[in-house]
Amino acid sequence: MEFAFLPSFPPELNQAILFGLMLLAGICGGELLRRGVGLPRVTGYVLTGLLLGPSALNLISADLMANARPIVDVAIGLVLYELGHRLDLSWFRHNAWLLAMAVAESLLTFGAIFAAMYYFDYSPLVCALAAAMGVATSPAIVLLVSHELRTEGQLTERLMSLTAINTAVAAILIIVLLPWLHMEHSATAMSTLLHPVYVLAGSLLLGFAIHRGVVELARWLGKREDRQYILLIGAIVLAVGLARALQLSVVLALLAMGVLARNQDAKRALLALQFGYGGQLFLVVLFVFAGASLNFSGWREAGTAIAVFLVVRFVAKALAISIFSTASALRLGSALPLAAALLPMSEIAWLMMHDTVTIYPDFGPELTSLLLGALALSELVAPIVTGLALRRSDEAHPEGELSRV
Amino acid sequence: MSEMTFNASPKLSIGVELELQIIKARELDLSRDAEVLLARLQRMEVPGAVKPEITQSMIELNTSVHDRYDTLLAELQQMRDIIAREALRLNLLIAGGGTHPFHRWSERRIFPDERFNFVAQRYGFMAKQFTVFGQHIHIGCADGDAAIYLTHAFTRYLPHFIALAAASPFYQGEDTLFHSSRLAVVDAFPLSGHMPEVETWGQFIDYFDGMVQLGIVASMKDFYWDIRPKPEYGTIEIRVCDTPLTVERAALLAGYAQTLAYHLLAQRPPAPLPATYQVNRFNRFEACRFGCDAQLVDAQSRQRSSLRDDLAGTIAMLHEDAAALGTTAVLAEIDALLRGAPAQSELLRQRFKQRQSLADVVQAQADYWMAVPSKQEDRKAVLGTHSS
């Protein structure tokens, strides 16, 4: 055994290799697509994932994807914290119609998709879960597109606020609905009721507790960006880990943390930080991962239902926004661009559901093919639509990328 | 009618223009939402007028013409309330102060308008750097000769206005050590400075025509002087003031200007040329840099005195005029300010010291200007007796 010091061949893929490869492949894919066709980088990341994932080359197999999950969770945590930080509750105090718009947008989307899917003879629970996921806009996509184009203005602000609200609503709906899925299979009525209460209350409490700690530490560390950056990343990673360990909702806990940081810090101990390059690292992995999870097979099995799902979803959002646009001081002609910008479906909401759904083989496939089909198209096309909507509304910076499209 | 016909206005009427900062509520940086905000305000019943300014981060508020200080103050407060309410509905804040403490001028966008585009093309980066915020005070004059006299006579008192309005201690992320750093930005323009030493409206027309023939100016708007006649309105326009932190301070400055003009036109003290302009730039610098603690040089007496004493002396001189005009409260207020109230720029520095962040300074500027009910305690420091 003279050569026992040599590794086996091929060497075992560890998480660092995976992380590095996903980053490199993602950034190259994104850049290729941007230079070649002038499309948003996000679309390139997703395509790269799709190409490397189980649906195509299978370089990133399902097993490897499970390995990448902790990194993806951190990405989700960063995204939701930032999204929460974009939600200014005092805005709703001065503009109650905007809150009405946000709530109506979520509820109408849920109701409309539920009704449409019921028409396609899906079981009520599948309809409800599909509708819940339809409510959410992808926070990762709207944030990334907005950063790339350096957008700012009324449409951008409303896009972030509506996304924060519909992400929260979707998360709550999914948390409430999933135990019903357990019950259909095994769980008792008691646990069906207690489980959502535990997850909802626990996630919010976790978010609150860590927020308090962060504020105290920020006061002690002082208003220095370098220190507070590390403080925040540390707190976010810790919150993600704790939420996972306690089987709470990463989405709700981190969203709550962000909202509290923006709205419950009267003396502004916390600086309004951008995650910048560091945050983008994780976003690239998130999108490559999301791309790898996609497949289009659903379109063969349930193409009509998927198409109807997507159309109904857009119409419901557009309708709710149009109804409240004037009252909420939205500029004339901005309702449709706003609805279009909200199009990207949430890969994060999908992951929330995915974990549970796949446990039940007899239930999973139906929902999976429907939602993955819709998500697949949305991940590829919707970022382009969001970018267009923001640019057409003159909110992109002249030197922001994609401005030549 | 040519631009240079002097449209006589009601004697000593006053009006105010305020350039205001539009702030993003989250980052507290300047926004670029002027168009959206203006579109909303244009559909409201706003007294006076609200207009665009050179970049998308500013709006300008114009009062209507007033004979009395108290009606001017009431209108300014009414306009403030409407503008603040509409801004909040868009999640924007409105702030006073002569500069935004930390915005990056390169991020600014020129407001889409023919004149602004011309200025932006002609002056390049200076146009975007011109995202500073001033108060202009108009005083009605009976004729062009009176306007020329007042322009010269007022020059000696400009440091008072600079010091009372000063609210721009921070610029481009730095403490400038100045009370008003804004005027330094204006100085970069080739046609800044002061009116030439003409003595009648006729001479001024000759000068203006000469400048037009040389192709240096096309209209009165091209002069960025500290104080200039505005024949279109029949006024002189004082342009050295930072936009104060509150509309109450803005009205106070207008009331002081009106009282002073009343006195000057009644007494006609000599405004010796060129002595006035010999010391003008020095005094102006002193006022910008040191506020009420500036050391001024008097062109006639050749004496040095502190701006604080000079202002107090002027106030004392104006009591009878104030009684006739109904501005006694204005003088009392300025007198009280001179007796120990912290300068506006010092309040902003204090806020920075407490919070160690310029974003908090912007928040304070917005709180002062918008008169947020929960922050009334803070405002008392700036308002002085108005708050009681």
Side-chain angles (χ1 to χ4, degrees), chain A residues 51-352:
Chain A
L51 194 69
L52 300 180
S55 322
L57 300 176
N58 202 26
L59 288 174
I60 305 177
S61 64
D63 285 349
L64 275 179
M65 284 176 67
N67 266 333
R69 190 56 195 269
I71 301 166
V72 171
D73 281 336
V74 171
I76 293 174
L78 289 170
V79 165
L80 285 161
Y81 179 88
E82 182 170 350
L83 183 70
H85 203 270
R86 300 290 291 255
L87 184 67
D88 191 343
L89 297 178
S90 73
W91 193 2
F92 295 142
R93 211 171 55 235
H94 298 293
N95 191 345
W97 289 113
L98 183 64
L99 181 60
M101 177 194 278
V103 173
E105 186 261 308
S106 292
L107 297 185
L108 198 62
T109 308
F110 182 80
I113 296 179
F114 184 92
M117 292 303 103
Y118 196 71
Y119 176 80
F120 278 91
D121 281 340
Y122 288 102
S123 74
L125 191 55
V126 170
C127 293
L129 284 168
M133 182 167 152
V135 168
T137 298
S138 165
I141 291 181
V142 295
L143 283 170
L144 197 73
V145 171
S146 163
H147 284 171
E148 271 197 24
L149 295 173
R150 294 168 68 189
T151 68
E152 59 172 275
Q154 288 294 309
L155 198 71
T156 304
E157 289 305 309
R158 281 158 206 257
L159 173 61
M160 297 306 165
S161 300
L162 293 186
T163 302
I165 299 277
N166 70 28
T167 298
V169 170
I172 292 168
L173 284 170
I174 292 171
I175 289 167
V176 171
L177 286 170
L178 283 181
W180 290 95
L181 183 58
H182 291 297
M183 196 168 81
E184 280 195 355
H185 291 82
S186 65
T188 65
M190 194 61 183
S191 75
T192 307
L193 289 176
L194 282 182
H195 187 192
V197 174
Y198 169 75
V199 176
L200 288 175
S203 307
L204 295 180
L205 215 65
L206 176 66
F208 177 76
I210 295 190
H211 163 71
R212 288 306 317 160
V214 167
V215 170
E216 290 307 319
L217 273 172
R219 279 200 191 127
W220 180 68
L221 287 170
K223 291 191 181 177
R224 286 276 305 273
E225 287 200 359
D226 48 354
R227 294 172 207 157
Q228 288 211 3
Y229 186 87
I230 296 170
L231 167 69
L232 261 189
I233 301 273
I236 288 168
V237 175
L238 178 67
V240 169
L242 283 174
R244 278 260 151 198
L246 299 171
Q247 300 192 0
L248 297 170
S249 162
V250 173
V251 172
L252 270 193
L254 273 293
L255 194 62
M257 241 177 98
V259 172
L260 289 167
R262 174 74 182 91
N263 296 280
Q264 283 293 313
D265 177 25
K267 293 201 162 165
R268 289 181 179 274
L270 295 172
L271 299 169
L273 293 179
Q274 301 271 353
F275 292 123
Y277 296 137
Q280 280 183 24
L281 279 183
F282 287 93
L283 278 181
V284 172
V285 174
L286 175 63
F287 286 116
V288 174
F289 184 88
S293 333
L294 298 179
N295 72 67
F296 283 85
S297 61
W299 283 90
R300 271 198 312 276
E301 300 149 27
T304 323
I306 295 172
V308 168
F309 174 98
L310 289 171
V311 171
V312 166
R313 180 172 177 270
F314 174 69
V315 171
K317 286 185 184 303
L319 193 64
I321 290 167
S322 302
I323 291 171
F324 292 100
S325 70
T326 312
S328 72
L330 182 62
R331 210 176 186 185
L332 218 62
S334 291
L336 226 51
L338 180 53
L342 283 166
L343 269 184
M345 282 178 63
S346 173
E347 58 296 302
I348 293 172
W350 163 248
L351 283 176
M352 277 186 80

Side-chain angles (χ1 to χ4, degrees), chain B residues 358-377:
Chain B
L358 288 175
D360 289 295
V361 174
V362 181
Q363 183 73 55
Q365 286 176 235
D367 289 342
Y368 286 132
W369 199 86
M370 297 173 87
V372 181
S374 60
K375 315 258 170 104
Q376 289 303 318
E377 273 307 301

